[in-house]
Amino acid sequence: MAVPSNGLDCDLLLYGRGHRTLDRFKLEDVTDEYLVSTYGFPRQFIYYLVDLLGATLSRPTQRSRAISPETQILAALGFYTSGSFQTRMGDAIGISQASMSRCVANVTEALVERASQFIHFPEDEAAVQSLKDDFYGLAGMPGVLGVVDCTHVAIKAPNAEDLSYVNRKGLHSLNCLMVCDARGVLLSAETHWPGSLPDCTVLEQAALTSQFETELHKEGWLLGDSSFLLRTWLMTPLHIPETPAEYRYNMAHSATHNVIERTLRTIRARFRCLDGSKGTLQYSPEKSSHIVLACCVLHNISLEHGLDVWSSPATAHVEQPEEEYEQMESVDSEACRIRQELLLTHFT
């Protein structure tokens, strides 16, 4: 029996010998409009995820092995994009809230396993040069390999004694460090940092710092805002610009850095489980971190498939804790020299 194209007849999912026959649901039996409105993505994108994750989600050791990979993926996408396990989503595919939760866990771990496949800096020389060229085209800032910023994602309190996740607003959160390219593709995502840590401390302890300090910089740098400290590989704005060149540098820096701010806002718009509109993530910090990373992987895959996340409607989101910038001068004389040379060469 075919499912009507204007939606799912959930009773069909309950036919059989007294048990749920979950595999009755077929993607081809519903419209693209229905899939996008309910699960956030069109049919071909979901087919791609089934091909990508199907073998992992069909492992016989999975508790939810009776649920098809297709249904597991729909359940997870429904949660990521709506932020809810409530009956509307479960009823749409004919599974319980408990099964929804297991599906989200399975799909999340399958996506996290593939994070390095989809989130990474380019390595070959041509791709690196293309990265710089794309950034230069935005506002004339040369040598940019990525723009970096942090964003908080609200989580439930781990326990009464653990205050490390309490941010400046008194809320429990993860502080997530992200880097993206000029199109909004994520190049790095570290989603596990406790919300009490300021952005500068997160960066100081991050794998990203180790990566840039121990590997070749390819004659370029990241751009970060004033919550970070100037480094040889991280250009920050001048606190008090005085000369025309310094004003031009700051303007180009701000226009270029805006890409990461826009990207973080629109990731929240697509993945409502991160924006706090349905409440905090009701998981441990580790599992919440994996959900954030899974959404980052999906963000990059969606851009690969031509799904422009920036066309998504704006949405309200959890207010971000305000950083109290100390505006310290960098003690790194080499970093100061590099920024001054950049000013003289390109903005004078």
Side-chain angles (χ1 to χ4, degrees), residues 27 42-54 73 111 114 117-118 297-298 300-302 304-305:
L27 283 174
R43 185 185 330 276
Q44 290 306 316
F45 183 87
I46 297 171
Y47 279 142
Y48 173 81
L49 292 181
V50 172
D51 290 340
L52 178 70
L53 308 178
I73 287 168
L111 288 167
R114 291 159 177 80
Q117 176 183 346
F118 293 100
V297 173
L298 288 172
N300 275 10
I301 295 175
S302 69
E304 279 189 9
H305 284 72

Side-chain angles (χ1 to χ4, degrees), residues 53-340:
L53 308 178
T56 301
L57 298 176
S58 299
R59 290 171 182 167
T61 55
Q62 298 274 357
R63 288 182 62 192
S64 58
R65 59 189 178 276
I67 303 178
S68 70
E70 193 172 271
T71 301
Q72 292 185 62
I73 287 168
L74 288 173
L77 291 179
F79 170 71
Y80 297 147
T81 58
S82 74
S84 175
F85 280 137
Q86 299 309 310
T87 54
R88 174 181 175 273
M89 190 57 61
D91 286 348
I93 50 179
I95 61 176
S96 68
Q97 185 168 323
S99 293
M100 277 279 297
S101 183
R102 287 195 296 272
C103 290
V104 171
N106 293 343
V107 174
T108 295
E109 292 311 306
L111 288 167
V112 167
E113 287 177 8
R114 291 159 177 80
S116 61
Q117 176 183 346
F118 293 100
I119 303 175
H120 56 82
F121 283 90
E123 296 182 355
D124 65 276
E125 187 175 340
V128 171
Q129 187 58 52
S130 178
L131 186 64
K132 294 179 183 179
D133 291 343
D134 288 344
F135 275 118
Y136 187 79
L138 294 178
M141 180 69 76
V144 180
L145 298 170
V147 284
V148 58
D149 206 351
C150 287
T151 187
H152 285 255
V153 174
I155 62 172
K156 73 173 183 178
N159 57 63
E161 292 75 30
D162 190 352
L163 300 179
S164 64
Y165 290 91
V166 178
N167 61 38
R168 291 182 181 275
K169 296 292 186 180
L171 304 173
H172 291 82
S173 68
L174 297 168
N175 195 3
C176 305
L177 182 72
M178 310 281 192
V179 180
C180 76
D181 69 11
R183 297 191 303 118
V185 175
L186 294 172
L187 305 174
S188 178
E190 299 186 34
T191 60
H192 62 284
W193 296 103
S196 66
L197 295 181
D199 295 358
C200 59
T201 304
V202 169
L203 181 62
E204 182 180 345
Q205 299 178 11
L208 179 69
T209 293
S210 176
Q211 179 182 1
F212 269 79
E213 291 188 344
T214 59
E215 298 180 4
L216 293 176
H217 300 164
K218 303 180 178 67
E219 297 182 354
W221 38 72
L222 303 178
L223 297 187
D225 64 19
S226 297
S227 63
F228 302 114
L229 196 63
L230 180 71
R231 299 170 183 263
T232 57
W233 49 269
L234 178 68
M235 294 292 103
T236 59
L238 290 142
H239 177 38
I240 305 177
E242 297 177 347
T243 68
E246 290 174 345
Y247 277 103
R248 284 192 288 270
Y249 167 85
N250 271 14
M251 290 178 64
H253 187 290
S254 177
T256 307
H257 187 265
N258 181 257
V259 174
I260 184 66
E261 298 168 4
R262 188 181 180 193
T263 297
L264 294 176
R265 287 195 302 268
T266 51
I267 287 175
R268 289 176 177 277
R270 172 160 277 169
F271 302 107
R272 300 296 296 275
C273 69
L274 307 181
D275 76 353
S277 63
K278 300 291 185 179
T280 62
L281 286 175
Q282 297 297 302
Y283 294 91
S284 68
E286 180 182 9
K287 289 184 177 180
S288 296
S289 167
H290 285 188
I291 287 173
V292 180
L293 185 56
C295 291
C296 291
V297 173
L298 288 172
H299 167 78
N300 275 10
I301 295 175
S302 69
L303 290 182
E304 279 189 9
H305 284 72
L307 303 177
D308 183 4
V309 70
W310 288 349
S311 66
S312 301
T315 182
H317 62 271
V318 173
E319 185 179 359
Q320 294 293 296
E322 295 177 4
E323 292 288 343
E324 296 178 4
Y325 305 148
E326 296 183 24
Q327 300 294 355
M328 297 180 297
E329 286 298 321
S330 175
V331 297
D332 188 335
S333 59
E334 179 62 12
C336 292
R337 185 196 66 77
I338 290 174
R339 185 169 66 180
Q340 187 62 28

Side-chain angles (χ1 to χ4, degrees), residues 9-24:
D9 180 350
C10 295
D11 289 339
L12 291 177
L13 300 175
L14 305 179
Y15 287 171
R17 296 179 178 87
H19 64 277
R20 297 186 176 192
T21 52
L22 297 166
D23 290 336
R24 284 183 179 274

